[in-house]
Amino acid sequence: MNRKLLEDLCWEIRAFLEPKWMMLHEFWGEDKPKIASQYMCRYTSIFLKAVLEDCTRKTWYLAAGRPVSREREGTSQGYFGFCTFDGLFFDHCWVQSGNWIIDLTADQFGAEKVIVTSMNDSRYHQNLDEASLRKDITKLSPRWERWLLEWRNFH
């Protein structure tokens, strides 16, 4: 799948997920967030991995970066996660395959809503792989699995 088709698919996936993110924020009892994707990177990435594997027939992997200590989140010393334009690192999750990184929730940090970029994008600093995210995948599975069933029924 070429980059343009991949980007188009990612925009379609994001449009599908945005109302689900808002329902989740409401379920958590939060006020409507300014950025719908806030706190949604793990749900989204797990879901995105499944959809991309269905659509591209390639294997995709979850990747994440988490600052080593809570005190370093949102600082330039965090070093792992997503690095914002001002050099601050935040806990974050995305998918990757081959030379591609795909991220549908980096707008919560001031980046684009859909990012399809190369593995050498300096904003992404991984220190967690799919095996280390297994607990998150299991814990979050009831929700993203329902989303996946709905997506597959629609498409």
Side-chain angles (χ1 to χ4, degrees), residues 28-91:
W28 292 336
E30 297 175 351
D31 291 332
K32 183 178 177 183
K34 290 181 182 177
I35 307 291
S37 66
Q38 187 175 8
Y39 310 126
M40 297 295 147
C41 65
R42 279 173 176 65
Y43 287 110
T44 300
S45 295
I46 296 166
F47 173 84
L48 179 61
K49 172 186 167 19
V51 172
L52 287 173
E53 286 182 347
D54 284 353
C55 295
T56 67
R57 304 289 185 230
K58 290 176 61 175
T59 302
W60 291 83
Y61 301 94
L62 295 174
R66 180 177 294 148
V68 178
S69 72
R70 278 270 196 231
E71 293 78 34
R72 293 196 173 162
E73 168 109 85
T75 72
S76 58
Q77 293 80 39
Y79 194 70
F80 294 106
F82 185 83
C83 185
T84 60
F85 68 93
D86 51 359
L88 307 180
F89 287 90
F90 292 89
D91 184 344

Side-chain angles (χ1 to χ4, degrees), residues 84-108:
T84 60
F85 68 93
D86 51 359
L88 307 180
F89 287 90
F90 292 89
D91 184 344
H92 196 50
C93 188
W94 58 90
V95 298
Q96 54 192 38
S97 181
N99 191 42
W100 295 111
I101 289 175
I102 298 182
D103 186 352
L104 304 186
T105 62
D107 58 317
Q108 65 185 302

Side-chain angles (χ1 to χ4, degrees), residues 100-144:
W100 295 111
I101 289 175
I102 298 182
D103 186 352
L104 304 186
T105 62
D107 58 317
Q108 65 185 302
F109 308 117
E112 307 88 56
K113 287 184 174 186
V114 170
I115 295 175
V116 177
T117 190
S118 71
M119 289 288 284
N120 63 2
D121 189 316
S122 63
R123 296 174 291 184
Y124 294 89
H125 295 256
Q126 179 182 352
N127 65 344
L128 299 171
D129 62 11
E130 195 161 322
S132 56
L133 294 167
R134 185 67 45 209
K135 191 169 147 183
D136 289 345
I137 294 167
T138 302
K139 182 177 121 185
L140 303 176
S141 67
R143 188 157 286 120
W144 69 262

